[in-house]
Amino acid sequence: MSGNGNAAATAEENSPKMRVIRVGTRKSQLARIQTDSVVATLKALYPGLQFEIIAMSTTGDKILDTALSKIGEKSLFTKELEHALEKNEVDLVVHSLKDLPTVLPPGFTIGAICKRENPHDAVVFHPKFVGKTLETLPEKSVVGTSSLRRAAQLQRKFSHLEFRSIRGNLNTRLRKLDEQQEFSAIILATAGLQRMGWHNRVGQILHPEECMYAVGQGALGVEVRAKDQDILDLVGVLHDPETLLRCIAERAFLRHLEGGCSVPVAVHTAMKDGQLYLTGGVWSLDGSDSIQDTMQATIHVPAQHEDGPEDDPQLVGITARNIPRGPQLAAQNLGISLANLLLSKGAKNILDVARQLNDAH
């Protein structure tokens, strides 16, 4: 018996080892679910590879007593993960795309944008207000949101409500809503609630006329080292062409406006009959002042193709060599054109004031 065991062990030692791809993620339950879904897809595509998930805490996970917009750090949920990428401790990192700044640190790129889930915001109500909508909540009800974008738009629309900051991961925020009497409802991303399997908590989905969403919301981005061609090829097949083009337009819009967490900027995109429609808006912090507009461009969603390397393949931090370049550039130009239109109508002044007020409080 022992002889057979030794022979098996020797055979195992001599067999070629499976390559291990290390995947970085935040520690929250939602981040793990999102990462697990990307890894499951990669495992199905590459059965000859092993995947190891490495979870870590980020600055944004640790600072829970301050509104995100006040921390003044662009890479709140990404910095520690990027350090691990830089030090070659992980090969790729899965993020919520809306957490990734439109300008990435040198040496990094978004190598894949996965198919987007519902990008809209959802309202989750305190148990005693189930069946209500924001419109029918009692006067002076307090609604929790960690987002200036949501608060600015909703204050304008629902002036009978009060909006207060609420921080923490999804589990923490739902617990605060259910167990404390402070909030009548909270606003969360529909995609996150759906990924967690909490469909039954969605009391109302907000349409673009009520609240446009954050740039990249509902999509997952896979960040890699920009020069790691092996890993870029590996993850590139995850690109969803329509999601990619919509998110390039959204990110180009935000980047050209120089927006971020500390100012209310929101978007809505749609692809229809070869047209990409982009609606974007900026708001003052209290929602009283706003500028919005819509533009469209003719863009046919391409199939993936095998393409040779480009000199500088990145557009708004994204590398997609297996998607034709023309539609990507058209999407980027649409975002820049809409940003220029809003700037010509006075968007810079609204954003500057919002930034100053946010910094002062």
Side-chain angles (χ1 to χ4, degrees):
M1 284 295 287
S2 61
N4 287 345
N6 290 342
T10 309
E12 197 173 298
E13 279 162 25
N14 292 338
S15 67
K17 278 204 171 143
M18 279 178 116
R19 183 178 172 197
V20 178
I21 306 294
R22 299 151 306 161
V23 183
T25 177
R26 287 166 62 194
K27 281 184 174 172
S28 76
Q29 188 185 352
L30 175 60
R32 289 301 305 262
I33 287 170
Q34 293 178 166
T35 301
D36 287 347
S37 74
V38 170
V39 168
T41 307
L42 288 170
K43 274 182 178 169
L45 288 165
Y46 304 106
L49 295 178
Q50 266 190 313
F51 293 86
E52 179 190 351
I53 294 173
I54 297 167
M56 55 194 86
S57 293
T58 66
T59 308
D61 296 314
K62 293 169 190 163
I63 306 174
L64 294 175
D65 55 351
T66 310
L68 292 178
S69 57
K70 298 268 189 266
I71 302 170
E73 167 69 69
K74 268 192 176 163
S75 50
L76 275 178
F77 295 109
T78 58
K79 199 157 76 174
E80 285 78 2
L81 294 160
E82 283 170 345
H83 280 327
L85 255 185
E86 191 174 29
K87 290 187 285 191
N88 211 16
E89 291 167 359
V90 296
D91 301 300
L92 57 109
V93 176
V94 179
H95 301 280
S96 292
L97 185 61
K98 68 175 182 177
D99 290 339
L100 280 166
T102 54
V103 180
L104 297 183
F108 301 109
T109 189
I110 299 163
I113 294 181
C114 307
K115 189 171 173 59
R116 188 176 221 166
E117 294 209 24
N118 186 329
H120 299 285
D121 288 316
V123 188
V124 179
F125 293 92
H126 187 281
K128 70 181 176 192
F129 291 120
V130 166
K132 295 272 191 193
T133 64
L134 287 182
E135 206 159 6
T136 59
L137 276 178
E139 192 84 20
K140 297 274 184 249
S141 292
V142 176
V143 177
T145 173
S146 57
S147 154
L148 294 179
R149 169 189 61 79
R150 291 170 180 151
Q153 291 181 82
L154 295 172
Q155 267 170 239
R156 184 186 178 99
K157 199 91 183 162
F158 304 100
S159 53
H160 68 295
L161 302 175
E162 279 182 32
F163 293 87
R164 246 177 244 164
S165 179
I166 183 169
R167 287 290 321 282
N169 61 37
L170 280 189
N171 309 59
T172 306
R173 282 187 249 180
L174 280 177
R175 197 164 54 246
K176 283 180 182 174
L177 170 69
D178 291 343
E179 294 176 7
Q180 300 169 11
Q181 298 305 310
E182 183 182 357
F183 298 103
S184 302
I186 58 176
I187 315 292
L188 299 166
T190 304
L193 288 162
Q194 288 178 339
R195 288 182 185 125
M196 294 284 275
W198 293 338
H199 307 73
N200 63 326
R201 291 306 306 261
V202 176
Q204 180 182 3
I205 289 182
L206 297 170
H207 298 293
E209 311 79 57
E210 298 166 310
C211 189
M212 288 197 286
Y213 43 81
V215 165
Q217 185 159 308
L220 300 180
V222 181
E223 189 178 17
V224 301
R225 290 178 289 274
K227 289 192 165 44
D228 194 338
Q229 196 52 55
D230 233 19
I231 299 292
L232 269 168
D233 291 342
L234 183 91
V235 302
V237 294
L238 299 175
H239 271 304
D240 176 67
E242 181 178 317
T243 303
L244 170 75
L245 296 175
R246 287 171 61 186
C247 290
I248 285 176
E250 292 172 17
R251 285 172 65 85
F253 171 72
L254 181 65
R255 183 179 187 161
H256 204 67
L257 283 176
E258 294 182 348
C261 256
S262 59
V263 287
V265 175
V267 293
H268 172 66
T269 49
M271 291 284 299
K272 198 176 175 193
D273 303 328
Q275 297 286 311
L276 174 56
Y277 296 86
L278 171 63
T279 302
V282 302
W283 285 260
S284 58
L285 288 189
D286 64 359
S288 61
D289 210 358
S290 77
I291 298 172
Q292 298 172 55
D293 220 314
T294 303
M295 291 181 87
Q296 68 195 78
T298 303
I299 298 176
H300 292 282
V301 176
Q304 293 204 16
H305 72 162
E306 295 303 321
D307 217 10
E310 310 268 357
D311 286 343
D312 181 17
Q314 282 204 45
L315 292 181
V316 284
I318 300 163
T319 300
R321 287 178 174 160
N322 53 342
I323 306 288
R325 188 76 166 165
Q328 293 186 61
L329 288 168
Q332 178 179 252
N333 291 340
L334 176 63
I336 292 169
S337 298
L338 184 63
N340 281 331
L341 178 61
L342 264 57
L343 290 167
S344 74
K345 292 181 169 188
K348 188 175 187 320
N349 187 47
I350 291 177
L351 293 174
D352 286 348
V353 170
R355 252 187 218 100
Q356 287 159 9
L357 284 173
N358 184 54
D359 292 346
H361 281 119

